[in-house]
Amino acid sequence: KEEEEKPYGVILEVRAGAGGEEAALFAEELAEMYTKYAVQRGWNVSVVAESRTSQGGYKEASFEIIGKEAHHALRYETGVHRVQRIPVTEKMGRVHTSTASVAVLPLRRKPTVEILPADIAIEFSRSGGAGGQNVNKVETAVRLVHTPTGIEARSQSERSQQKNREKAMSILVAKLELLHEEEEAKKHAATRRTQIGTGDRSEKIRTYNIPQSRITDHRLKESWHNVEDIMGGALDPVIIALADVSVL
C-alpha cells in the first residue's frame, strides 16, 4: 500500500516569468539542467508538452521524469528561479534580471484526490512542432480543464489521442494533489519547523548570478560558486543541502 502512495516519478513544469525572451531562454536552460540531472541519476525523461517562443526559448514546457527517487530529490525545486546576466542582445553590457517558475508534481499509482468526470472539459488539437508527417494531420494533442478550479493539463507527446488523454489525466490529478498539499501546508505553516518554504509556486527560491558564477538558495541562505557545472546537471550539492535541512 505504501508503494502505491509513494510517487513513482514526477511531472516537472517550467514556465517563463518576467523578462520576455530572456526569461524563456532561462526556462529552457532550467529544463535542460533538470533533464541532465535526471539522466545522470538513471531516471527516464520524456517531454509531455512544450510551447516555444519565436527565439526558441520555452514559454512553458512539462516533462515526465520516472524514477523512484525523483520526487524525493526534486520536491524542493518548486518556486520562482531568478537569473541575473547580460543577455546576448544587450549592447551596453547591462545585467538583466529575469525569472522562470518551476513546479514539481508527484505521480502516484493510487491518486489521493478524486475527480468527477462531469468536472472535466476536454479539447483536442493538432500537435505542433517536429515529429514526422502524421503528427499534424490528426487531432492527437489533448487539453483537459478541471472546471471547478480552472486547472489545466495538456499532453502532445504521444501518437494516439487516447494515450495523450491518459497522460493529461495523470498530470491533472498530480496538479490537483499539489494544490491540495499546498492548501494543507498553508494551514500547518505556523507549526512547521522546516526552513523550507510552503512549496508555493510564487515563492522566490533561488538566484543564478551568471557574471559572478554564483547560485544562491534563499531558503538555505547558502551559495555555490560553480554555476556552469550546476546548470550542466551537477545539482547534487544543492539537492543534498535542501534534503539535510528539510529533516530538521
Side-chain angles (χ1 to χ4, degrees):
K1 185 178 184 320
E2 211 171 290
E3 275 305 300
E4 285 181 343
E5 286 170 9
K6 203 178 171 209
Y8 62 88
V10 298
I11 294 294
L12 186 134
E13 293 189 327
V14 294
R15 185 166 293 174
E21 207 56 64
E22 179 66 12
L25 293 170
F26 177 50
E28 185 175 26
E29 286 167 56
L30 284 176
E32 283 171 3
M33 173 179 83
Y34 292 120
T35 301
K36 285 174 181 167
Y37 176 69
V39 169
Q40 284 169 23
R41 295 285 303 258
W43 303 330
N44 211 340
V45 185
S46 57
V47 178
V48 176
E50 56 181 20
S51 163
R52 292 187 174 276
T53 64
S54 56
Q55 303 286 314
Y58 279 146
K59 279 184 206 163
E60 57 184 291
S62 47
F63 303 82
E64 185 180 64
I65 302 176
I66 304 299
K68 274 189 172 174
E69 295 300 314
H71 180 252
H72 185 75
L74 296 171
R75 66 194 190 278
Y76 298 124
E77 294 303 302
T78 292
V80 175
H81 296 242
R82 180 172 72 165
V83 68
Q84 294 174 322
R85 63 176 169 199
I86 301 161
V88 184
T89 52
E90 169 58 60
K91 305 285 188 284
M92 310 293 289
R94 283 182 298 236
V95 172
H96 287 229
T97 298
S98 31
T99 63
S101 63
V102 172
V104 176
L105 314 161
L107 289 169
R108 292 186 178 92
R109 302 218 182 278
K110 201 171 178 192
T112 55
V113 294
E114 195 181 353
I115 302 178
L116 300 171
D119 286 342
I120 293 173
I122 186 162
E123 283 174 21
F124 302 106
S125 61
R126 293 176 187 186
S127 292
Q133 275 78 44
N134 69 333
V135 172
N136 296 323
K137 288 181 187 154
V138 191
E139 295 203 328
T140 53
V142 174
R143 175 174 172 259
L144 301 179
V145 180
H146 182 247
T147 45
T149 58
I151 288 174
E152 63 173 65
R154 56 182 82 221
S155 175
Q156 64 189 47
S157 59
E158 302 291 341
R159 287 184 172 266
S160 80
Q161 194 183 82
Q162 181 58 32
K163 283 214 170 108
N164 275 324
R165 191 172 177 162
E166 285 165 14
K167 189 162 271 190
M169 192 66 196
S170 70
I171 294 169
L172 190 64
V173 168
K175 284 188 170 186
L176 288 165
E177 286 186 330
L178 187 73
L179 181 71
H180 178 68
E181 279 172 22
E182 280 178 10
E183 284 167 354
E184 287 298 304
K186 284 200 176 87
K187 274 185 211 163
H188 303 298
T191 59
R192 288 175 83 201
R193 282 175 56 212
T194 168
Q195 288 174 29
I196 300 197
T198 57
D200 196 319
R201 279 162 277 193
S202 61
E203 190 176 0
K204 188 178 75 207
I205 61 167
R206 194 175 298 148
T207 296
Y208 302 71
N209 185 312
I210 308 300
Q212 294 175 16
S213 188
R214 185 180 69 236
I215 287 185
T216 303
D217 193 286
H218 304 297
R219 299 160 298 178
L220 298 176
K221 299 181 175 56
E222 192 173 334
S223 295
W224 293 265
H225 288 275
N226 49 346
V227 80
E228 275 186 22
D229 292 349
I230 291 173
M231 292 196 79
L235 253 178
D236 260 338
V238 184
I239 300 273
I240 290 163
L242 284 161
D244 285 349
V245 170
S246 70
V247 295
L248 288 177

